[in-house]
Amino acid sequence: MSHDAHRVPITFRHLVSAGSLNASNPLRVISLVDVDAAYAQFEASRLGVDSSVVPLAVQQWNGLIAISYAARKFGITRHETVESAKEKCPEIRLVHVATYAEGAQRAEYNEDPSPTTHKVSLDPYRRESRKIVAIFDEMCPLGAVEKASIDELYCDLTLAVRQVILQRFPELARPPANSPLGLDTPLPPPPKIDWTDLGYRVPTEGAHQESAEGDDAKDAQEADKQASRQEELQESVREEIAADTFKTAAINSSPPLVQQAASWTDYALACGAELILKIRQEVMDRLGYTMSAGIAPNKTLAKLSAGMKKPNCQTILVPGAIHAYLKDLPFQKIRFLGGKLGDAIAKEWERSTVGDLWSVTLAELQEKVGDESKWVYDVLRGIDHTPVIERTANKTMLASKNVKPPIRTLQEAQRWISILSLELCVRLKEAREESPNIWPSTMVLRYLKAGETARSRQSSFPFVRDLKPESVAVVAERLWGEAVGEQMSSGKQLSEIIVIALGFSGLEAGEQGQRSIEGFFTSKAAASNAKVPALAAASPPIPQTISSKRERALEGETMEGKGEDGRSPSPLGVVNGTIGEPSAKKIKKVKASGLQSLFQKAAEVTSPLQPEAAQPSVAQDASLDSVSPAPLTEEAPSMPSWTCPECQAKILPRAHVGEPGRAEEGEDSDRRLAQAKQDHEDWHFAVNLQKEHSAALQPRGSLGPSASQAPASQRSASQKGGGGKGSKDKKANKNAIQNFFKKGG
DNA sequence: AATTTATAG
DNA sequence: CTCTATAAATT
């Protein structure tokens, strides 16, 4: 499937236009990075052992929740019991997660915690996670960093890559002066790429490739077949460990591998790989953790790629490799197809690989999966426009406990509530170190009675600068009382509560927190309680509604409404502010799952420029221009000229030239002015991009092996203890930069 | 505000 | 697939 011929040429606009900064840009570069066996590495580090060599597992009660790669070689897997693991590897180092004990002020590594008295704590891992995220934030100043989980994050490297390309090829900032197509002039042929050290490349079709890295993953997998020959296995594994072990695959040197880039897309991905390599090295240097990464044109493919070579490897998936790779991939490995949706599809068509489903039409898909169909259809073809959302802070935090034995009395309830309250308190406090103004608008108490379904009770939660566990507990107990209190208050114990959870939601970085906070006080002012208003008077005057409705609306439009796409963003969060979405809804909705929004909105955006998979894409860069609504809304439609706020240049409507396939019935000088403005802004964009100094990604000599690390001096700024403030400023600055680019200057 | 659903280690 | 966490839709 050599569809190169069909592919739309990559133009200057794609490289240089702020307006082209959308999910369809062929130079889009996304990465998913995850910490290898995260908890195991974290614990190993804490204990001063090398988790790549020492078989180690993290245990939670009697189960294992993380297995070091060294331990995996013994065939030990997640969800295995401690006993079973010891059988497979008698010398395995087992570490129990930290726990909160009654009366303690914080989670600790207790000797032998019991589920009857302790509560598991993942706090230490969240802390490490934050450190890692901070490094990414620091080193990806131009792109969004989205924390996907405690050990995974996405980053959008598109801008950083553009910057690198423009630094290396300054002449690309402007199309040739005499080019009639202007920004729509195709870029010159792409340069060569030195793949040395950039990671494993998923083989492109036809061409048999060698891995630039070791074959660690293969070795790692190899031992996974256990059964009766456990002894031999242990033996062989030991030898293996003694012999070589963990090559620092991504860092080792391999014979130079220089190739002509198949396209600028490939070159861009290679640049992304350089960046990720450096960040991974930085994380290794500062924190000592290995990570695996995928570098690809979108989130789905980046995630798949990251899983291909582990641990400590990064994988690059270029367009030319997508088709062959997806063809035989079990489709249920695709993100979000691993659950019920995937099962439903598998059952309906009795297929298992992505390629198997290529023959299913969109219409057929719609019949069975309704609103998700477009997303599914696209993702099966390697297309995924979901944006990387700048988000490193959580919106909710929940501390839950499966209580054994079940709670039967108020005293027992209070005991667990105090522990859960403490944990929430600790976590909120730590979250505030990063976002000082963050506070939860709501507190939620969830509980599960034996044999029933979960229930919950919630109420608004007041802002308190110096939050104490007791304060949290007061609210929690009130909720408890409302929920089940009466039944057991008088000592008569009824229902058995087997799960109790306490959480915060509506966690918002008070950007303009002041206002919000004031609003809270003024609206509920009443409670004349000085410092700890509502809390002191726990029961009666708790504010009913902090109604963050306006804030949500605001968030939806301000932040996400823009998306990366200028017109139809598909943020994970926002579902309502859908743009024009008339048709999509009518189809029967078999699933009605929470994925719909995500899918359908992402799908909405057609992606003619998508370099991915079998897309016989059709040309129409035109959309890029229509993407700039800004000038139209902010200026009088009839305005014959526009003055650049940046340089005061007076811009006149663009002359009639170029714009193939776009020759509408002219007359709209407005449109041409908008174009001219866009071009002008693009120019600023390019210039600024060239000026900007990327701390992380320094251009390395044309083709040589990765050049020296960016001098620490250049990026030092923050990082030290007082990280709180520093990282905040950093983030603000970053947002400013991003906004600048999004608005086109 | 309450409840349910989906997903993922 | 023990438990824990998160996001979001529905009502």
Side-chain angles (χ1 to χ4, degrees), chain A residues 284-296:
Chain A
M284 170 55 76
D285 292 347
R286 291 199 214 167
L287 305 174
Y289 301 132
T290 69
M291 306 185 297
S292 295
I295 299 101

Side-chain angles (χ1 to χ4, degrees), chain A residues 327-349:
Chain A
K327 186 168 184 295
D328 298 313
L329 179 79
F331 68 82
Q332 288 176 310
K333 290 198 170 177
I334 292 174
R335 191 174 68 131
F336 295 135
L337 291 184
K340 295 192 170 188
L341 178 57
D343 283 341
I345 292 172
K347 191 173 178 187
E348 175 65 27
W349 286 281

Side-chain angles (χ1 to χ4, degrees), chain A residues 141-406:
Chain A
L142 295 181
V145 175
E146 176 180 335
K147 186 180 157 190
S149 75
I150 203 166
D151 68 347
E152 286 186 341
L153 61 82
Y154 287 95
C155 42
D156 189 328
L157 304 174
T158 307
L159 268 179
V161 165
R162 285 188 182 199
Q163 182 179 54
V164 170
I165 292 177
L166 288 174
Q167 284 171 344
R168 292 181 187 172
F169 308 98
E171 67 277 16
L172 297 184
R174 301 290 282 167
N178 58 352
S179 180
L181 295 179
L183 285 178
D184 297 308
T185 306
L187 289 175
K192 291 181 176 176
I193 301 173
D194 181 354
W195 292 101
T196 310
D197 293 338
L198 293 188
Y200 169 71
R201 280 175 292 153
V202 180
T204 51
E205 229 155 337
H208 181 66
Q209 281 189 337
E210 285 306 309
S211 162
E213 302 194 44
D215 288 334
D216 311 49
K218 203 187 304 168
D219 296 354
Q221 297 275 7
E222 156 183 307
D224 280 346
K225 305 311 147 208
Q226 57 285 79
S228 51
R229 44 187 283 272
Q230 205 47 248
E231 313 259 318
E232 300 171 39
L233 181 60
Q234 288 182 26
E235 209 43 54
S236 70
V237 168
R238 262 176 215 104
E239 287 167 18
E240 196 177 330
I241 289 177
D244 78 344
T245 17
F246 215 84
K247 302 168 228 173
T248 47
I251 301 169
N252 71 2
S253 55
S254 323
L257 192 44
V258 181
Q259 289 183 1
Q260 176 61 44
S263 69
W264 278 101
T265 298
D266 288 31
Y267 189 82
L269 290 168
C271 290
E274 277 181 61
L275 177 53
I276 291 300
L277 179 65
K278 286 177 179 168
I279 300 177
R280 289 206 299 136
Q281 283 179 346
E282 190 70 17
V283 170
M284 170 55 76
D285 292 347
R286 291 199 214 167
L287 305 174
Y289 301 132
T290 69
M291 306 185 297
S292 295
I295 299 101
N298 61 53
K299 288 171 97 174
T300 295
L301 294 178
K303 169 80 172 163
L304 285 169
S305 302
M308 298 180 67
K309 287 269 184 183
K310 290 183 165 189
N312 201 20
C313 278
Q314 58 185 56
T315 300
I316 304 157
L317 181 57
V318 297
I322 295 174
H323 177 84
Y325 171 63
L326 287 183
K327 186 168 184 295
D328 298 313
L329 179 79
F331 68 82
Q332 288 176 310
K333 290 198 170 177
I334 292 174
R335 191 174 68 131
F336 295 135
L337 291 184
K340 295 192 170 188
L341 178 57
D343 283 341
I345 292 172
K347 191 173 178 187
E348 175 65 27
W349 286 281
E350 297 186 312
R351 304 288 216 290
S352 63
T353 71
V354 172
D356 289 341
L357 288 170
W358 282 342
S359 57
V360 178
T361 67
L362 179 56
E364 290 171 320
L365 224 37
Q366 267 167 345
E367 239 172 83
K368 297 302 171 187
V369 302
D371 291 336
E372 292 102 316
S373 59
K374 183 59 164 89
W375 184 87
V376 173
Y377 183 86
D378 278 347
V379 86
L380 291 174
R381 289 158 178 74
I383 294 169
D384 171 23
H385 293 315
T386 56
V388 177
I389 307 283
E390 173 71 38
R391 184 182 59 75
T392 55
N394 293 327
K395 291 180 186 164
T396 67
M397 57 176 67
L398 183 76
S400 83
K401 169 70 188 173
N402 288 22
V403 281
K404 301 188 304 196

Side-chain angles (χ1 to χ4, degrees), chain A residues 626 628-637 670-671 674 677:
Chain A
S626 60
S628 60
L632 300 179
T633 59
E634 291 169 19
E635 296 159 25
D670 283 346
R671 186 175 65 79
K677 179 189 176 189

Side-chain angles (χ1 to χ4, degrees), chain A residues 19 40 59 64 71 82 105 122 137 209 219 229 264 289 321 359 361 388 444 496 507 526 555 603 619 627 648 738:
Chain A
Q59 79 179 94
L64 301 183
V82 166
Q105 296 300 300
L122 302 180
D137 258 337
Q209 281 189 337
D219 296 354
R229 44 187 283 272
W264 278 101
Y289 301 132
S359 57
T361 67
V388 177
V444 188
E496 301 190 327
L507 245 30
E555 178 187 346
V627 160
Q648 309 310 319
Q738 289 178 346

Side-chain angles (χ1 to χ4, degrees), chain A residues 579-592:
Chain A
I579 315 299
E581 180 76 11
S583 54
K585 220 89 197 176
K586 61 200 174 193
I587 307 298
K588 110 196 229 183
K589 65 184 239 171
V590 173
K591 293 281 147 267

Side-chain angles (χ1 to χ4, degrees), chain A residues 608 667 681 705:
Chain A
E667 276 15 83
E681 289 174 335

